[in-house]
């Protein structure tokens, strides 16, 4: 209801411009019991059902920071909705309103979990399944220098290379998919990974298809050889590192800015002036707390 209070709701603006795409991105959506309630990523994730699947055996569910509901189920799904509406407009010539709920967005994002329930991937309690830390071959392991390796050797041929790299004899091990042996195998793998440094394990597995990779910290990720070769991270003029825009388009790749991130409100004045607002109108918007400034050069 914030935009309605400003007289800028979709009903008003779509009358002015019937081609307008009006996106409403909220946690719980525009309707329903919680529509006007406050919430955060963890709440939206909980209501979607996804949170119940995240966590180790015998532990509480955990939220993976705020990436899933806020950014994936929210921002990315909303952006996809906008692109879809823009494409539809090329045929109809009409705009529309997008109700982008983070709860529904992250629930839809989890369609794989729903559709694969009968495949045997998720029929055990949380933390005991193939992809949720139950399997010894889909797990992270600590190295002797306190770092970690990520293991994702699901397919038999990849699992075989994992076993070989760990120096084990597959003939003396239980079947890869013997669920009852998974806890014992995890302990065995953990004890072996703890005997070498991350760099040593990389030298063993880097040239293989064992699906074993280092868990890189933010301090290390930009200097890793693969990421350097891909130019996956960039430095701005303040020497701050951030990911390069993705995905990479062949004809029209994104051109990243190497300037520091703007402060909230830093360009408010110049943009409004550019759009024809007078300084008096901008001052009124500021005094009414409709806009804010973080630019010390603002001279209203």
């Amino acid at each position: 209801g914030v935009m309605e209070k400003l007289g800028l709701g979709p009903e008003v603006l779509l009358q002015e411009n019937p081609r307008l795409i009006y996106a409403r991105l909220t946690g719980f959506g525009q309707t329903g019991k919680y529509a006007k309630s406050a919430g955060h990523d963890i709440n939206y994730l909980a209501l979607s059902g996804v949170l119940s699947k995240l966590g180790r055996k015998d532990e509480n569910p955990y939220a993976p920071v705020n990436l899933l509901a806020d950014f994936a189920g929210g921002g990315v799904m909303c952006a996809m909705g906008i692109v879809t509406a823009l494409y539809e407009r090329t045929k109809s010539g009409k705009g529309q309103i997008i109700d982008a709920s983070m709860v529904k967005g992250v629930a839809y994002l989890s369609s794989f979990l729903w559709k694969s329930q009968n495949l045997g991937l998720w029929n055990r309690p949380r933390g005991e399944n193939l992809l949720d830390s139950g399997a010894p071959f889909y797990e992270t392991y600590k190295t002797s220098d306190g770092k970690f390796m990520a293991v994702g050797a699901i397919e038999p041929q990849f699992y075989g290379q994992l076993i070989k790299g760990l120096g084990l004899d597959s003939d003396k091990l239980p079947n890869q998919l013997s669920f009852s042996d998974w806890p014992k195998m995890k302990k065995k793998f953990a004890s072996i990974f703890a005997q070498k440094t991350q760099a040593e394990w990389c030298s063993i597995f880097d040239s293989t298809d064992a699906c074993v990779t280092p868990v890189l910290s933010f301090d290390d990720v930009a200097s890793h050889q693969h990421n350097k070769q891909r130019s996956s991270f960039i430095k701005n003029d303040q020497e701050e590192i951030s990911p390069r825009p993705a995905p990479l388009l062949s004809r029209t790749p994104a051109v990243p800015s190497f300037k520091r991130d703007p402060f909230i409100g830093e360009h408010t004045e110049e943009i409004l002036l550019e759009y024809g607002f007078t300084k008096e109108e901008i001052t009124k918007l500021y005094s009414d707390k409709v806009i804010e400034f973080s630019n010390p050069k603002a001279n209203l």
Side-chain angles (χ1 to χ4, degrees):
V2 174
M3 296 301 283
E4 278 79 2
K5 290 176 184 176
L6 299 174
L8 298 172
E11 291 78 12
V12 174
L13 297 188
L14 281 165
Q15 282 185 353
E16 296 267 337
N17 178 11
R19 291 175 55 83
L20 183 68
I21 309 297
Y22 194 109
R24 312 200 80 161
L25 175 57
T26 58
F28 296 115
Q30 296 298 311
T31 58
K33 180 179 179 179
Y34 292 167
K36 296 187 182 301
S37 300
H40 276 294
D41 185 287
I42 194 170
N43 307 117
Y44 315 138
L45 200 59
L47 204 63
S48 74
V50 176
L51 185 57
S52 70
K53 295 290 186 183
L54 306 179
R56 293 185 176 276
K57 181 181 179 181
D58 299 326
E59 293 185 10
N60 295 355
Y62 73 88
V65 293
N66 69 324
L67 290 176
L68 276 184
D70 279 353
F71 296 110
V76 174
M77 286 294 189
C78 183
M80 189 169 75
I82 292 170
V83 171
T84 304
L86 286 169
Y87 178 71
E88 191 280 336
R89 191 175 70 181
T90 64
K91 298 179 178 180
S92 67
K94 298 177 182 179
Q96 54 188 311
I97 303 165
I98 298 166
D99 179 359
S101 154
M102 294 180 189
V103 174
K104 289 183 72 172
V106 76
Y108 184 56
L109 193 70
S110 72
S111 295
F112 166 71
L113 304 183
W114 292 89
K115 302 294 185 180
S116 62
Q117 285 184 101
N118 297 325
L119 299 180
L121 294 178
W122 310 105
N123 57 350
R124 301 171 67 83
R126 183 177 62 248
E128 296 183 25
N129 299 281
L130 183 70
L131 302 177
D132 64 359
S133 80
F137 48 86
Y138 203 88
E139 178 61 287
T140 57
Y141 293 100
K142 196 171 187 177
T143 58
S144 63
D145 54 347
K147 298 181 180 181
F148 296 89
M149 298 298 289
V151 176
I154 298 176
E155 290 79 0
Q157 66 271 29
F158 302 153
Y159 183 71
Q161 294 199 40
L162 167 66
I163 296 303
K164 181 181 178 182
L166 292 176
L168 295 171
D169 184 349
S170 59
D171 293 334
K172 297 179 180 178
L173 298 175
N175 183 278
Q176 179 186 355
L177 297 179
S178 175
F179 298 121
S180 60
D181 290 304
W182 279 3
K184 178 179 67 178
M185 292 299 294
K186 285 179 74 169
K187 289 181 180 178
K188 182 184 286 288
F189 287 4
S191 67
I192 296 173
F193 272 107
Q195 295 170 17
K196 289 182 171 64
T197 66
Q198 186 187 71
E200 288 173 323
W201 285 119
C202 286
S203 68
I204 290 172
F205 286 113
D206 271 1
S207 58
T208 73
D209 279 335
C211 301
V212 179
T213 50
V215 177
L216 299 175
S217 69
F218 271 28
D219 292 331
D220 300 330
V221 67
S223 60
H224 187 274
Q225 186 178 17
H226 177 80
N227 291 330
K228 284 174 67 175
Q229 291 169 346
R230 295 274 301 168
S231 300
S232 298
F233 294 84
I234 57 176
K235 273 187 182 179
N236 67 12
D237 55 11
Q238 306 289 308
E239 294 295 300
E240 296 168 329
I241 296 174
S242 62
R244 182 179 289 271
L248 183 63
L249 276 62
S250 63
R251 284 193 302 102
T252 58
V255 180
S257 170
F258 294 99
K259 296 180 180 179
R260 64 159 174 79
D261 293 340
F263 303 121
I264 294 175
E266 181 177 355
H267 304 108
T268 301
E269 180 188 2
E270 65 182 83
I271 289 171
L272 290 177
L273 287 170
E274 184 181 313
Y275 270 84
F277 285 78
T278 66
K279 291 211 170 190
E280 291 72 22
E281 289 172 324
I282 298 173
T283 302
K284 180 70 165 56
L285 288 170
Y286 178 70
S287 64
D288 290 344
K289 298 185 178 180
V290 174
I291 59 174
E292 62 179 282
F293 297 123
S294 295
N295 184 3
K297 295 181 181 177
N299 53 12
L300 297 173

